[in-house]
Amino acid sequence: MKTLIEKFYRGLITVGQSLQSPLLLILRLYWGWQFFQTGKGKLMDVSKPAQFFASLGIPFPHLQAILVGCTECFGGLLLLPGLASRLISIPLGILLTVAYFTADIDRVRAIFSDPDKFVTADAFLFLFAVVIVFTFGPGALSLDALITKHIKAKNQMTQQLNEK
């Protein structure tokens, strides 16, 4: 009986692991496109986010709107193919954390008393996606994985040549 349970559990692990990279690809494609669209929208009409930032008391609102728009737009473009995914997750995560603490501070304060308010904030799903990409990486179906594979192969060839 124990071996049957072990086989079943190992099968679940195998299935879960085989779905990891496709799931990360879907996540990157969807949220990369969302970041791109959001950033592009800000850059196409900088005055709207600048006015919003000014209403929140954010210093240099026009400059901040351009910075946020560029980070979202180009960060999204990097997430799509999975290039520098963990690296771009850092400024995107910072941007979204600042968005929470400036535009949605009431929702942050309600994180334990009313968690539904926190998780329904506009920034939540964006931040959640960024945390997943940062934590698990972009997956095997990404440019990061191809670059890593190429570097490892090059290092192995160099090591083999040095041994001769």
Side-chain angles (χ1 to χ4, degrees), residues 72-106:
E72 288 176 347
C73 187
F74 297 115
L77 288 175
L78 288 171
L79 283 178
L80 285 170
L83 181 61
S85 301
R86 282 190 163 128
L87 181 62
I88 197 59
S89 294
I90 295 168
L92 287 170
I94 292 168
L95 180 146
L96 293 162
T97 302
V98 170
Y100 248 125
F101 280 94
T102 54
D104 288 322
I105 190 66
D106 293 335

Side-chain angles (χ1 to χ4, degrees), residues 141-160:
L141 304 172
S142 67
L143 289 180
D144 284 349
L146 286 175
I147 291 168
T148 300
K149 187 177 178 179
H150 176 73
I151 290 171
K152 283 182 181 179
K154 187 176 179 181
N155 287 342
Q156 284 178 344
M157 285 186 359
T158 305
Q159 185 179 10
Q160 288 173 351

